[in-house]
Amino acid sequence: MTNTANKRKGGWWALSPLAVFLCLYLVTSLIVNDFYKVPITVAFLLSSCYAIALTRGLSLEKRVYQFSVGASNKNIILMIWIFILAGAFAQSAKQMGAIDATVNLTLSILPDNLLLAGIFIAACFISLSIGTSVGTIVALTPVAIGLAEKTGIDLPYMVAIVVGGSFFGDNLSFISDTTIASTKTQDCVMRDKFRVNFMIVVPAALVVLCIYIFQGLSISAPAQTQAIEWIKVIPYLIVLGTAVAGVNVMLVLLLGILSTGIIGIVTNETDISTAFFDWFGAMGTGITGMGELIIITLLAGGMLETIRYNGGIDFIISRLTRHVKGKRGAELSIAALVSIANLCTANNTIAIITTGPIAKDIAQRFHLDRRKTASILDTFSCLIQGIIPYGAQLLIAAGLAGISPISIIGSLYYPFTMGICALLAILVRYPRKYS
């Protein structure tokens, strides 16, 4: 039960735990030029302790309880389930050879110079079909890792292509929770919001696609000499097929895990019992490998709930809406509102739900088009969600690849290009029909 009855009048101090985390992890890492010097778990632990100590008017026991309310939020627990299943699938797929087979198939189909563009298009298409960036990242990241190993492409760069493409669909898809939240809070039709969004983000996607085509000209993959084991590609076909069909991501991963076990046992040259226990061992290794990611998610959820409880989000909303003048300023304030809310919640859907009613009031007051307002909410929330190192998308991509989430951010071409296009759309009043 979240203690929503006690509305706190927050100040800048209520947001200071987020500043402590960013200084401990991001700023320190940049200063020493090493993103592994300060473990992200330690940065979250210290900032979480600071957030608990900062909370006023409660006993220590109740402060810890309030922190735990955030950590045990249903969205956090659901995400942890996905992390567990993703770890089990990724490792069991690797152990039975599904990743190698899929990588070999990809290398044989795509020309070397279209490898980067092909992965980006695949991420865009899958995310548009299934409406979730997390599901896309879970499905494609292991393949991107395998391709990076085979071609010598920088691993964080390859993972960033998948993460960036995954936000194309997260922002546009009719079944995306951010699309549903933004249109419902602004009381507009999904297809109308889609038209506005399409005109803003498709140019960004085309620019990024051209960059990947150009950069792909220098890539030369090794000659494909290994025979493609088609049966071992089946787990990925099942995962991608069911995901595109709109099946729940947890069921998608369960089907993927089951298929890796069956095919692994059938194709294993040793006895069935050995193959069976190898499958179990691989799942256990994959789940254990997600331990740090789960700890980070719990600490982040608790810290961000403490910020909300202390009035941090309400404070920043009130500060940003005090001096709004004119349509351009109103749209910029909505963009800033949802961006800061996303920084404080690390969840783009929650950020939209939190700021949506205020955005609707601003839209009515300054006669903004509801379709443009819904587009701003969705686009800027996806921008921030795509670049914060403690967001679920970067955490799970980094966890699967075994790299720092910070190392991915510099190569996230699409989210940054999308953000620039969205900001220009506000400043130059584009699309004119909706501005």
Side-chain angles (χ1 to χ4, degrees):
M1 291 173 60
T2 304
N3 191 353
T4 55
N6 295 328
K7 279 283 184 181
R8 299 301 181 100
K9 187 178 180 180
W12 292 112
W13 63 270
L15 296 166
S16 59
L18 187 60
V20 169
F21 165 73
L22 292 173
C23 287
L24 281 172
Y25 184 55
L26 183 57
V27 177
T28 305
S29 298
L30 289 171
I31 290 172
V32 300
N33 198 28
D34 186 347
F35 292 108
Y36 295 93
K37 278 287 185 184
V38 180
I40 190 170
T41 47
V42 175
F44 263 121
L45 176 63
L46 295 176
S47 54
S48 295
C49 291
Y50 172 75
I52 291 171
L54 192 71
T55 304
R56 302 171 182 173
L58 294 177
S59 64
L60 178 59
E61 183 181 354
K62 289 184 178 179
R63 293 180 193 185
V64 174
Y65 170 77
Q66 192 63 40
F67 180 91
S68 301
V69 165
S72 60
N73 179 280
K74 64 178 182 179
N75 293 312
I76 298 291
I77 300 301
L78 178 62
M79 197 58 63
I80 288 173
W81 271 112
I82 294 171
F83 292 163
I84 290 170
L85 293 172
F89 171 70
Q91 192 62 36
S92 58
K94 182 178 180 181
Q95 188 267 338
M96 58 77 68
I99 293 176
D100 288 337
T102 307
V103 168
N104 292 336
L105 176 62
T106 305
L107 289 173
S108 67
I109 292 174
L110 285 176
D112 296 355
N113 57 357
L114 290 180
L115 198 58
L116 302 180
I119 292 296
F120 179 68
I121 291 171
C124 290
F125 172 74
I126 293 169
S127 60
L128 188 62
S129 301
I130 67 178
T132 167
S133 50
V134 171
T136 305
I137 290 167
V138 167
L140 279 184
T141 298
V143 177
I145 295 167
L147 288 171
E149 291 172 352
K150 287 284 182 76
T151 59
I153 300 170
D154 185 51
L155 180 57
Y157 179 79
M158 200 67 173
V159 173
I161 294 174
V162 174
V163 175
S166 72
F167 276 98
F168 177 81
D170 197 322
N171 179 230
L172 269 184
S173 176
F174 281 86
I175 58 174
S176 168
D177 50 2
T178 58
T179 294
I180 294 168
S182 60
T183 52
K184 291 297 182 185
T185 58
Q186 301 311 297
D187 194 23
C188 70
V189 181
M190 284 190 188
R191 68 174 180 272
D192 293 334
K193 177 260 184 190
F194 177 85
R195 290 188 186 118
V196 182
N197 245 25
F198 186 86
M199 288 187 275
I200 294 172
V201 303
V202 168
L206 291 175
V207 168
V208 172
L209 182 62
C210 290
I211 292 173
Y212 288 141
I213 292 173
F214 177 75
Q215 293 186 337
L217 296 176
S218 60
I219 292 175
S220 58
Q224 191 59 34
T225 55
Q226 294 174 287
I228 299 169
E229 298 180 87
W230 290 94
I231 190 172
K232 292 186 177 181
V233 180
I234 290 175
Y236 268 102
L237 295 178
I238 290 173
V239 166
L240 295 177
T242 52
V244 170
V247 177
N248 180 277
V249 65
M250 294 178 69
L251 183 56
V252 166
L253 290 170
L254 283 171
L255 290 171
I257 292 168
L258 186 62
S259 65
T260 59
I262 294 171
I263 294 170
I265 291 169
V266 169
T267 58
N268 200 294
E269 296 176 359
T270 59
D271 60 282
I272 292 177
S273 62
T274 302
F276 182 79
F277 287 111
D278 284 346
W279 176 47
F280 267 38
M283 282 195 290
T285 301
I287 293 169
T288 305
M290 287 288 163
E292 182 183 38
L293 184 56
I294 292 169
I295 292 168
I296 291 167
T297 304
L298 290 170
L299 290 173
M303 186 189 79
L304 296 171
E305 166 60 21
T306 304
I307 290 173
R308 185 211 62 78
Y309 177 80
N310 285 325
I313 296 176
D314 289 340
F315 168 75
I316 201 68
I317 286 173
S318 65
R319 295 283 289 191
L320 282 173
T321 54
R322 280 194 309 177
H323 305 296
V324 175
K325 293 180 181 178
K327 287 191 174 185
R328 187 178 283 109
E331 289 184 0
L332 286 171
S333 70
I334 291 171
L337 276 174
V338 76
S339 297
I340 294 172
N342 210 124
L343 280 172
C344 296
T345 59
N347 186 306
N348 44 356
T349 305
I350 299 300
I352 291 170
I353 292 171
T354 302
T355 58
I358 297 110
K360 188 177 181 181
D361 289 342
I362 294 173
Q364 290 174 343
R365 181 178 166 190
F366 292 93
H367 308 290
L368 302 180
D369 192 300
R370 291 175 298 177
R371 297 164 291 187
K372 179 79 176 287
T373 306
S375 174
I376 291 170
L377 284 172
D378 200 344
T379 305
F380 280 91
S381 67
C382 284
L383 162 65
I384 299 301
Q385 187 67 22
I387 63 175
I388 52 175
Y390 51 92
Q393 290 79 0
L394 279 184
L395 285 176
I396 195 167
L400 290 170
I403 55 179
S404 166
I406 293 288
S407 65
I408 303 172
I409 294 175
S411 302
L412 289 170
Y413 296 169
Y414 177 71
F416 285 113
T417 307
M418 177 185 70
I420 292 169
C421 288
L423 187 59
L424 287 173
I426 293 174
L427 296 176
V428 303
R429 319 304 302 136
Y430 170 83
R432 185 69 61 183
K433 179 181 177 181
Y434 304 101
S435 299

